Amino acid sequence: MRIPILKLHDLLLVSIQVVLDDKSALELQEDLLQKIHATNAEGVVLDLTSLDMIDSFIAKVLGDMVSMAELMGAKVVLTGIQPAVAITLIELGISLPHIMTALDLEKGIELLKDNGVVHP
Amino acid sequence: MRIPILKLHDLLLVSIQVVLDDKSALELQEDLLQKIHATNAEGVVLDLTSLDMIDSFIAKVLGDMVSMAELMGAKVVLTGIQPAVAITLIELGISLPHIMTALDLEKGIELLKDNGVVHP
């Protein structure tokens, strides 16, 4: 099953609630870029609240996904990064330097609003 | 994989983007009721935009899910019902009489607002 992407006004919302395997991470990447193109979304909130493990491949796919989306003109916020995921990312030397992050979905949407992305 | 349920303020958002099999429909029912209980959600938007087929069992599970959620105190809106799904429901004699419906996710949230559910 592919991970659902919700469209809400100018935003796309994605909630990852499973441990991502390599295949579903790549499918999500593809689906998200397609959906940005199809909906002209200006912002994406990628909620990782329920993701309790990450490895270097998935981290790379997520980082690439953010860069690709931004190339297409959509701003991305990662939300709900769990302690274990944050620890793994830093220990792997992946600091996601230019990526906006927020505590939860609501705060992620707020952050995009503050950056002028959502016009409700 | 279970269907993700997103929490947004007082709302839960669920987007069904696969043909539901019996097991995942029942899992969604269970997960949704648990999540209503855990988050004190006052409203649920169940988006069926990408559901292009339905059978009598899934229709019953969806109908039951709405009744159960309302027993627990949460209002439910079904959104994005496709022509084929609407046809099947009526031909099966399932009219979902007391269920609120709307055209898409945004309009579903508006409808809940109009019913006093969301306090943003």
Side-chain angles (χ1 to χ4, degrees), chain A residues 34-51:
Chain A
Q34 290 287 358
K35 194 104 176 188
I36 290 171
H37 180 71
T39 60
N40 296 320
E42 296 183 22
V44 177
V45 183
L46 198 58
D47 185 39
L48 309 179
T49 308
S50 308
L51 184 76

Side-chain angles (χ1 to χ4, degrees), chain A residues 1-10 13-18 35 47 50 105-106 109-110, chain B residues 1-10 13-18 35 47 50 105-106 109-110:
Chain A
M1 188 184 129
R2 298 171 94 102
I3 293 170
I5 301 172
L6 282 73
K7 182 189 160 293
L8 190 65
H9 305 289
D10 292 333
L13 308 180
V14 185
S15 176
I16 297 174
Q17 308 198 334
V18 283
K35 194 104 176 188
D47 185 39
S50 308
L105 195 60
E106 287 94 341
I109 293 176
E110 286 298 315
Chain B
M1 188 184 131
R2 299 171 93 103
I3 293 170
I5 301 171
L6 281 73
K7 182 188 161 292
L8 190 65
H9 303 290
D10 292 333
L13 309 180
V14 186
S15 177
I16 298 175
Q17 308 197 335
V18 283
K35 194 103 176 188
D47 184 39
S50 308
L105 196 60
E106 288 95 339
I109 294 176
E110 286 298 316

Side-chain angles (χ1 to χ4, degrees), chain B residues 65-117:
Chain B
M65 190 159 28
V66 175
S67 310
M68 292 167 184
E70 299 202 335
L71 266 183
M72 292 179 69
K75 287 219 178 296
V76 184
V77 179
L78 297 184
T79 63
I81 293 181
Q82 286 199 20
V85 173
I87 292 169
T88 309
L89 287 175
I90 298 300
E91 285 185 347
L92 287 172
I94 302 167
S95 58
L96 305 171
H98 303 298
I99 294 184
M100 291 193 286
T101 53
L103 211 59
D104 58 27
L105 196 60
E106 288 95 339
K107 294 207 171 67
I109 294 176
E110 286 298 316
L111 187 60
L112 285 173
K113 273 186 191 165
D114 295 344
N115 280 272
V117 171

Side-chain angles (χ1 to χ4, degrees), chain A residues 15-78:
Chain A
S15 176
I16 297 174
Q17 308 198 334
V18 283
V19 175
L20 279 176
D21 58 40
D22 297 359
K23 180 163 164 285
S24 43
L26 289 170
E27 280 174 355
L28 175 63
Q29 190 180 77
E30 186 189 327
D31 291 350
L32 183 65
L33 299 179
Q34 290 287 358
K35 194 104 176 188
I36 290 171
H37 180 71
T39 60
N40 296 320
E42 296 183 22
V44 177
V45 183
L46 198 58
D47 185 39
L48 309 179
T49 308
S50 308
L51 184 76
D52 45 21
M53 262 173 28
I54 196 165
D55 62 25
S56 58
F57 180 79
I58 303 294
K60 181 177 180 325
V61 174
L62 287 179
D64 287 353
M65 188 158 33
V66 175
S67 309
M68 292 167 185
E70 300 203 334
L71 265 183
M72 294 179 67
K75 286 218 178 297
V76 184
V77 179
L78 297 184

